[in-house]
Amino acid sequence: MKRVYMMILVLIAIGCQNSPAKKDKPDVVILATGGTIAGAAASGTQSAYTSGAVTIDAMLKAVPGIEKLANIKGEQISNVGSQDMSFDIMLKVAKRCNQLLSGSNVDGIVITHGTDTMEETAYFLNLTVKSDKPVVMVGSMRPSTAVSADGPLNLYNAVAVAADPKAKGRGVLVVMNDQIHAAHSLTKTSTTSVQTFMSPLRGVVGVTAYGKDDWYNNPPWTHTSKSEFDISNVTKLPRVDIIFADADMEPDLIDASVKAGAKGIVIAGVGNGNMNKVSVDAAAAAVKQGVVVVRSSRVATGMVDRNVEVDDDKLGFIASDELNPQKSRILLSLALLKGDKPAQIQELFRTY
Ligand code: GLU
């Protein structure tokens, strides 16, 4: 009997040695890029301010209790207002995410970013980060010095989501004003309100309140670890322009874009991706010169379908499906690295 007890004790001891040490908290890295969340004004009630003036260390100090959610490390990637976000910085962020997430010592990433172009970077990372671990973007509408600044709680919630195992496999997420949005579907809808982000067609992925998350759905689009886009050796993206359509639009904007060397053009069309006849002719001429033309819409909600009022099959255009013009530009830029066949690119717009 004594011998059996001894053997059990030895087996337990061996088991303990072989199982990896349990972490007290998840490891989360914050990559800071700038934006209003890092903005500062001369007073708490002034609307004029400078984006990207505060460092990540100062931002973390303004969030009491954040250290209880995760072991946090901060890295400053850039410090710009997101109107100055560039493909260079996006590539840098994507490559750093891939480097960090490939190791076992990082469980999730939070990216602080301005809200103006948050949806572009979120969608770019959704296509280029090769991991199922949570990647969560966060910003704020009020600068860090404002009365009722929204940045600190947004940052607290974003770290909680990045540390939540249930956030895995949902693609890149954006956490703002207690809501969790999918990169594919969110868009900025107000120039100034703290409730600016909405996902008009698909709704939110979940909600978060003081670090407690509630999950509603999984984004249905292909993303991150299942994405076919690989930017590990990419340093530059092909030129893609967005042209805004309106009543009596001038078609020579399309000609100018082709002349300037665009490889792709996204039309922010009226209604279901429409434009006037002269512009359809200019876009068809662009296709004949090897430029890929995508019809998206300037309308805030709804999809753009093929062959509704425009004969895409005949003219060689692509319909953007649910992607708005700014996200269509991201997908088309990455797609053009792989080829320029309209049928294949159309399939990418259905998949991603
Ligand atoms: N232009 C700023 C930016 O995008 C303002 C928006 C914000 O961060 O809230 O960085």
Side-chain angles (χ1 to χ4, degrees), residues 34-37 49 51-52 80-83 113-117 139-142 176 188:
T36 300
I37 193 166
Y49 67 95
S51 259
V80 295
S82 73
Q83 57 272 43
H113 195 288
T115 57
D116 285 357
T117 61
S140 76
M141 290 300 284
R142 296 178 182 144
M176 287 274 299
K188 187 171 182 175

Side-chain angles (χ1 to χ4, degrees), residues 87-88 91 95 231 233-239 333-334 337:
F87 283 144
D88 278 354
L91 283 166
K95 287 175 185 174
I231 46 83
N233 295 316
V234 174
T235 52
K236 202 169 162 39
L237 293 173
R239 175 169 173 158
S333 304
L334 288 167
L337 294 172

Side-chain angles (χ1 to χ4, degrees), residues 36-156:
T36 300
I37 193 166
S43 85
T45 50
Q46 160 178 325
S47 62
Y49 67 95
T50 313
S51 259
V54 179
T55 62
I56 179 62
D57 293 335
M59 269 194 277
L60 284 171
K61 280 202 188 96
V63 193
I66 199 166
E67 69 292 342
K68 295 199 182 109
L69 298 172
N71 302 311
I72 300 171
K73 281 196 190 121
E75 284 179 27
Q76 200 79 42
I77 299 278
S78 64
N79 214 353
V80 295
S82 73
Q83 57 272 43
D84 286 320
M85 184 49 57
S86 61
F87 283 144
D88 278 354
I89 304 176
M90 287 189 207
L91 283 166
K92 203 169 155 190
V93 175
K95 287 175 185 174
R96 187 63 185 136
C97 285
N98 284 333
Q99 212 173 23
L100 288 166
L101 295 173
S102 64
S104 59
N105 52 349
V106 175
D107 299 300
I109 290 181
V110 169
I111 298 158
T112 59
H113 195 288
T115 57
D116 285 357
T117 61
M118 175 102 77
E119 59 196 275
E120 278 103 312
T121 304
Y123 186 58
F124 181 83
L125 296 175
N126 205 41
L127 300 177
T128 55
V129 168
K130 300 277 173 210
S131 172
D132 277 341
K133 293 179 189 172
V135 174
V136 181
M137 296 192 63
V138 65
S140 76
M141 290 300 284
R142 296 178 182 144
S144 65
T145 45
V147 172
S148 295
D150 53 331
L153 184 55
N154 285 346
L155 186 55
Y156 185 90

Side-chain angles (χ1 to χ4, degrees), residues 123 126-127 184 219-224 226-228 350-352:
Y123 186 58
N126 205 41
L127 300 177
H184 178 279
W221 311 95
T222 304
H223 56 72
T224 54
K226 297 206 172 62
S227 166
E228 65 200 84
R350 288 201 188 96
T351 310
Y352 292 94

